[in-house]
Amino acid sequence: MKNIIVNVCLVLSVVTISVLFLEGCSKANETDLQSGNNTVCDTVNMAYQADVQPILAKNCYSCHGDGAAPQAGINLKDYGTVKTQADNGNLIGVITHAPGYPAMPFNLPKLSDCDINKIRDWINRGAQNN
Ligand code: HEC
């Protein structure tokens, strides 16, 4: 009988600790989201050189550069290639993790909403070399 009570206590402690731990995590995420929302994100009149290219350089060039073998044969340092991928829907598909597209950056965290919306605005304005 004593053993059963000890076991029940152990199980209860583990459950309590897990619940506290998980709550801690969800609180942390909430705070992150809130600070993200408070950050000013300019997504109007986005231009290639000033706004889009730096995002690609930081998040994509490591695999899609102009080296010997860019992933999927796509060299995103070349504006013409970026334009093609923007116009055929691949670019927005891969960065928004849309169904049917390989999620980019490959095996890495999704771009921030701010960066995605900057690229989306540039595409909607005709993906110009500006
Ligand atoms: C760690 C390496 C890596 C990074 C970083 C990366 N990619 Fe990729 N990319 C790949 C691989 C691997 C494939 C081929 C995936 C497949 O076909 O399943 C690919 C394929 C693609 C394709 C072709 C999709 C298709 O349907 O054919 C596009 C477009 C693309 N990536 C864009 C990007 C963009 C934009 C970024 C940055 C936001 C990025 N990638 C970052 C490795 C990477």
Side-chain angles (χ1 to χ4, degrees), residues 55-64 70-74 76 81-82 85-86 88-95 100-111 119:
I55 300 172
L56 301 180
K58 185 167 170 235
N59 300 285
C60 318
Y61 283 7
S62 56
C63 296
H64 297 283
Q71 291 296 334
I74 292 175
L76 293 175
T81 305
V82 180
Q85 297 301 316
N88 68 16
N90 272 350
L91 182 58
I92 199 70
V94 298
I95 63 171
Y101 295 91
M104 296 293 144
F106 194 73
N107 276 346
L108 291 166
K110 196 177 180 182
L111 296 183
I119 295 175

Side-chain angles (χ1 to χ4, degrees), residues 74-130:
I74 292 175
N75 168 16
L76 293 175
K77 283 191 181 174
D78 171 46
Y79 164 75
T81 305
V82 180
K83 168 80 173 153
T84 307
Q85 297 301 316
D87 288 350
N88 68 16
N90 272 350
L91 182 58
I92 199 70
V94 298
I95 63 171
T96 57
H97 298 186
Y101 295 91
M104 296 293 144
F106 194 73
N107 276 346
L108 291 166
K110 196 177 180 182
L111 296 183
S112 65
D113 286 350
C114 180
D115 283 350
I116 291 173
N117 288 332
K118 282 175 191 283
I119 295 175
R120 196 196 309 273
D121 177 80
W122 173 73
I123 294 173
N124 289 344
R125 286 168 193 280
Q128 299 168 67
N129 190 2
N130 53 3

